[in-house]
Amino acid sequence: MRWLELEGAANARDVGGLPTSDGGTIAERTLLRADNLQGLTPTDVKLLVEEFGLSTVVDLRSTHEVEAEGPGPLRAIGTVRHVQLSMLLEREYSAEALFARREKALARYPDDPMCALYLGYLEDRPENVVAALRTISESPNAALVHCAAGKDRTGVVVALSLTVAGVARDAVVADYAASGTRIDGIMARLLASPTYRPDLEKRGGGSDAHRPRAETMEAFLTEVGSRYGGVLAWLERHGFGEDEADRLRTKLVA
C-alpha cells in the first residue's frame, strides 16, 4: 500500500501498483485518494503538487460540508482544478436529517447498513458518480478523490474506477478495507471538526463501529452485479459508455 504520509490528512494513498486481471498495473501518481484536505500543511501541498503532479481534486462532499469547512489550502493553487460532486442528495444537513436518511436507506440492503448507503449513492446521485469517473479520466495529471473520511464515498468512486480499469476484485476490496488501518486518525480528525462531530456523536460507537470491512465492498460489488448487471452495465446505463470506459482504463493503467 502506497501511503502518503501527509501532516494534515490521516487516510491518503496512491492506488498505483494495484494489479489488473490481464497482468497490468495501475500507474503510480495517477489516482490518489484521501480524507478531508482542510488541514494540509504547506509541506503537504508541495508534495502533492510538485512531486505527485496533482492537477485535479474530485471533492465528493456535500455543499453543506464544503461551505461549513471553508476553502482548504489546495484552493489557493491555481494549477489545481477542483470539482465538487456530492454523493448525497442536497437536503438539510443536520444530525437528525442524516439519521432519518440513513434509516430509509437501510431498506435497500438490510444486511449491511454501509452497503445500503453505497447503493444509495448510485440511486440518488448517478450523474455525479459518472461525472467523478469522467473527471478522473480527463485529468491531465494526477487526480485526487476525497470526501470527509476518505473511506465511504471515496471508497465507492475509487472501487468503480479500479473495476473499470480491470483491477482484480480482491485487490479492489483490499484497497477499500485498507482505510481501516487508519481509522483512529480518521475519527480523531472528524471529531475535532464542528461539521462532523454532531453526527458522529449521535451515531455513537468508537473507531471499530466506523471501520470499513472487506465484506461491505464484496457485498456492494455483488449487489451491483445482481441489480444492474455489473459496474460497466450500470455506467453505460447512465451515459458512461464503452468509449469513456476505455479512456479511463488508458488513463489509469500503466
Side-chain angles (χ1 to χ4, degrees), residues 2-230:
R2 291 166 167 77
W3 292 102
L4 305 182
E5 300 298 346
L6 302 178
E7 297 171 346
N11 187 25
R13 59 189 183 271
D14 181 353
V15 302
L18 292 178
T20 60
S21 298
D22 61 1
T25 58
I26 297 299
E28 295 182 8
R29 304 184 183 191
T30 300
L31 179 57
L32 315 177
R33 55 179 295 172
D35 51 330
N36 201 341
L37 304 177
Q38 301 301 116
L40 295 183
T41 66
T43 299
D44 295 336
V45 171
K46 183 176 181 179
L47 176 72
L48 290 170
V49 175
E50 296 184 9
E51 184 171 337
F52 283 83
L54 180 65
S55 60
T56 306
V57 171
V58 182
D59 185 345
L60 305 179
R61 297 174 300 164
S62 68
T63 300
H64 169 83
E65 291 170 89
V66 172
E67 293 177 349
E69 291 285 281
L74 278 171
R75 285 282 182 177
I77 307 301
T79 58
V80 178
R81 178 191 180 205
H82 289 77
V83 181
Q84 188 220 335
L85 297 164
S86 175
M87 295 292 103
L88 305 176
L89 291 173
E90 297 287 352
R91 296 173 180 166
E92 179 188 1
Y93 192 94
S94 65
E96 292 75 15
L98 285 174
F99 185 78
R101 188 184 308 166
R102 191 174 293 115
E103 289 297 301
K104 182 178 179 180
L106 290 179
R108 296 188 183 100
Y109 192 76
D111 292 342
D112 188 324
M114 297 311 299
C115 178
L117 287 176
Y118 298 171
L119 292 169
Y121 303 158
L122 303 189
E123 294 177 14
D124 293 339
R125 300 309 302 262
E127 73 286 0
N128 281 2
V129 174
V130 167
L133 269 63
R134 187 172 289 137
T135 302
I136 294 169
S137 70
E138 294 172 349
S139 179
N141 293 303
L144 186 153
V145 180
H146 85 98
C147 53
K151 63 186 182 69
D152 300 313
R153 291 169 285 187
T154 297
V156 168
V157 167
V158 171
L160 296 177
S161 301
L162 294 176
T163 299
V164 171
V167 172
R169 180 159 167 167
D170 60 345
V172 173
V173 171
D175 174 68
Y176 163 82
S179 292
T181 66
R182 298 296 176 104
I183 195 65
D184 289 339
I186 294 169
M187 293 298 294
R189 295 189 74 228
L190 294 178
L191 287 168
S193 167
T195 304
Y196 301 108
R197 185 173 59 250
D199 179 52
L200 290 172
E201 290 178 343
K202 186 174 183 66
R203 291 166 66 180
S207 294
D208 283 344
H210 299 276
R211 192 185 308 275
R213 302 180 304 118
E215 294 83 358
T216 295
M217 183 52 65
E218 285 278 8
F220 171 71
L221 294 174
T222 296
E223 288 298 306
V224 172
S226 62
R227 295 176 187 227
Y228 310 115

